[in-house]
Amino acid sequence: MTASPTGGPLTGLRVIDAATLAAGPLIATWLGEHGADVIKIEQPDGGDPLRQWGAQRDGVGLMWKSLGRNKRSVTLNLREQAGRDLLRDLTDTADVVVMNLRPSTLTKWGIDHATLSQRNPGLVMVHVTGYGEGGPKSDRPGFGTLGEAMSGFAHLTGHPDGPPTLPSFMLADGVAALTATYAVMMALYHRDVRGGTGQLIDINLIEPLARLIEQPVLTYDQLGTVPSRTGNRWDISAPRNTYRTKDGNWLAMSGSAPSIAMRALRAVGHPELTEDPRFAEAQQRLRNATAIDAVMAEWIEAHTLDEAMDVFEEANVAAAPVYDAAQLLDDPQLIARGTYPSVPDPQLGAMRVQAPVPRFSHTPGGIDHLGPELGEHNEEVYGGLLGLDADHRAALHEQGVI
């Protein structure tokens, strides 16, 4: 039995997911849906906190069901020496291990990369922490909320007269996980194609998101000014905002390309403004963003969402409805692409989750199953993979190790 979709590009790769909460497990999720055999390590007393995170149905965590897709769950108490010994045995069989314990804890427990790579030189370890190794905060606990604050994201998000605003989803964790996932691919390329060894990938929850928000640093470094919150506007593009429609929906628009901005002005019945110096040139449009915003808002609020979208689509204007979850699932484009397949599940019956991203023409990813029950694969992994007999497994269970 394999927990990886047949034919995925990472088939044959084994990943030990020994991390908790969002960023580390997300890395393993993305590797798993593209073919890797992911063994999820969880504490016997409750498992990954992701199981209790967010919305529940009949006591079953919905986020866990998605993030636990294609993984094999085993219980293992890393606070016990016997548990750490078993982890070392598992990493001996693995290509990648994902951890998010504090650096000092990894070293104290003898499960740091330097120790594990002595036994398995090809091992790639991803170590996700709040602040990264080195520096005065290296050993402090960190969470995505702190990364969203310290990266500069919250400072820029929100309206000018309002407070810094945090996202209501796992943004910093997700960006860190995406960054780490491509880092794993580079490390494996170095190992398998270039003939190198495994290595440690050190990633935190601040730097990947900060890299996407680099412009304020560049502006401060070169111009000495600190950009502030601008609501839904952005100082590189106008018009750019969300606009309320006549029927109470919302529409988003981007005028990043000058040709798109000119089309938008024509579409709302103001072709004369395309010759107006305030709007015809990109830098002037930015200086007059309030004025062009008012033109767009006035026209859009006089039309329903469908009416406005019909006009903008006909004119090739970059506009889109602001979707809630129900509208997202009902969108014809996403339905045609099968973006949210319904996956059977023994606990929930079935659940719609997002399909793997990106899509490959010859080696597509897939979803074999949603998140398993805690310890569902103990016998399969400890008995089948490590060869522990039933008596040994029973003794470890009695001791609280598995």
Side-chain angles (χ1 to χ4, degrees):
M1 182 266 184
T2 176
S4 59
T6 303
L10 301 182
T11 298
L13 194 78
R14 177 165 293 139
V15 178
I16 307 299
D17 174 6
T20 57
L21 286 179
L26 264 173
I27 300 164
T29 299
W30 287 321
L31 296 173
E33 64 189 18
H34 288 286
D37 172 22
V38 179
I39 298 174
K40 171 70 180 175
I41 304 296
E42 301 188 75
Q43 282 291 125
D45 54 347
D48 192 323
L50 271 172
R51 289 180 177 272
Q52 285 77 47
W53 219 36
Q56 310 267 315
R57 179 185 160 195
D58 299 330
V60 177
L62 304 185
M63 183 64 76
W64 160 253
K65 279 295 178 182
S66 182
L67 265 65
R69 65 178 70 180
N70 293 2
K71 298 182 182 182
R72 298 196 275 175
S73 171
V74 300
T75 52
L76 187 59
N77 188 351
L78 296 181
R79 298 185 184 94
E80 300 288 339
Q81 180 62 50
R84 299 193 288 274
D85 290 341
L86 277 178
L87 178 64
R88 283 187 280 267
D89 290 340
L90 285 171
T91 59
D92 286 348
T93 75
D95 300 279
V96 180
V97 61
V98 184
M99 301 272 206
N100 69 338
L101 293 168
R102 301 183 193 189
S104 63
T105 301
L106 288 181
T107 302
K108 180 176 68 175
W109 285 357
I111 51 175
D112 55 299
H113 183 259
T115 302
L116 296 179
S117 64
Q118 291 178 1
R119 299 167 53 128
N120 181 359
L123 184 67
V124 172
M125 175 186 280
V126 185
H127 189 203
V128 185
T129 58
Y131 301 96
E133 295 195 36
K137 297 181 179 179
S138 175
D139 226 34
R140 290 179 59 180
F143 296 93
T145 297
L146 310 186
E148 288 143 10
M150 294 182 66
S151 65
F153 174 84
H155 174 75
L156 291 177
T157 307
H159 291 283
D161 57 351
T165 304
L166 296 167
S168 58
F169 64 99
M170 48 191 182
L171 177 63
D173 287 273
V175 174
L178 283 168
T179 305
T181 301
Y182 81 69
V184 169
M185 294 296 96
M186 289 192 284
L188 292 174
Y189 183 90
H190 170 74
R191 186 193 74 176
D192 297 339
V193 178
R194 304 290 295 275
T197 64
Q199 58 186 303
L200 172 66
I201 298 170
D202 169 19
I203 191 158
N204 66 25
L205 299 179
I206 301 171
E207 293 163 356
L209 186 54
R211 180 64 186 273
L212 297 184
I213 313 169
E214 190 176 17
Q215 184 176 330
V217 172
L218 307 180
T219 302
Y220 176 73
D221 181 69
Q222 294 298 305
L223 303 177
T225 58
V226 178
S228 58
R229 290 181 288 287
T230 56
N232 289 318
R233 294 182 186 169
W234 191 10
D235 62 4
I236 68 167
S237 170
R240 200 264 194 177
N241 213 325
T242 57
Y243 305 92
R244 194 172 184 87
T245 63
K246 182 179 179 180
D247 54 351
N249 290 299
W250 290 88
L251 180 151
M253 178 183 291
S254 171
S256 295
S259 60
I260 298 293
M262 296 301 98
R263 288 178 202 163
L265 288 171
R266 295 188 190 100
V268 299
H270 287 283
E272 77 282 0
L273 295 183
T274 64
E275 306 295 330
D276 189 321
R278 295 176 301 160
F279 305 127
E281 192 272 325
Q283 290 298 314
Q284 286 294 339
R285 274 200 309 282
L286 294 179
R287 295 186 185 98
N288 291 281
T290 299
I292 196 171
D293 234 16
V295 170
M296 292 299 161
E298 181 181 7
W299 184 89
I300 292 170
E301 71 180 0
H303 295 77
T304 67
L305 177 63
D306 287 344
E307 290 169 348
M309 286 304 303
D310 285 345
V311 170
F312 288 148
E313 287 179 358
E314 177 67 23
N316 283 320
V317 171
V322 177
Y323 280 163
D324 60 22
Q327 293 167 312
L328 191 64
L329 290 173
D330 198 41
D331 179 78
Q333 172 69 17
L334 300 183
I335 291 172
R337 285 179 55 81
T339 301
Y340 289 96
S342 180
V343 181
D345 181 76
Q347 292 178 292
L348 299 176
M351 186 169 80
R352 282 186 285 185
V353 297
Q354 189 166 337
V357 179
R359 301 190 180 192
F360 292 84
S361 60
H362 295 297
T363 55
I367 305 171
D368 280 357
H369 60 81
L370 300 181
E373 295 189 51
L374 181 62
E376 183 176 330
H377 301 95
N378 277 6
E379 182 176 347
E380 184 178 298
V381 171
Y382 292 132
L385 179 60
L386 295 187
L388 305 183
D389 61 37
D391 289 341
H392 192 176
R393 297 198 304 273
L396 290 172
H397 179 71
E398 182 69 25
Q399 296 162 17
V401 175
I402 63 174

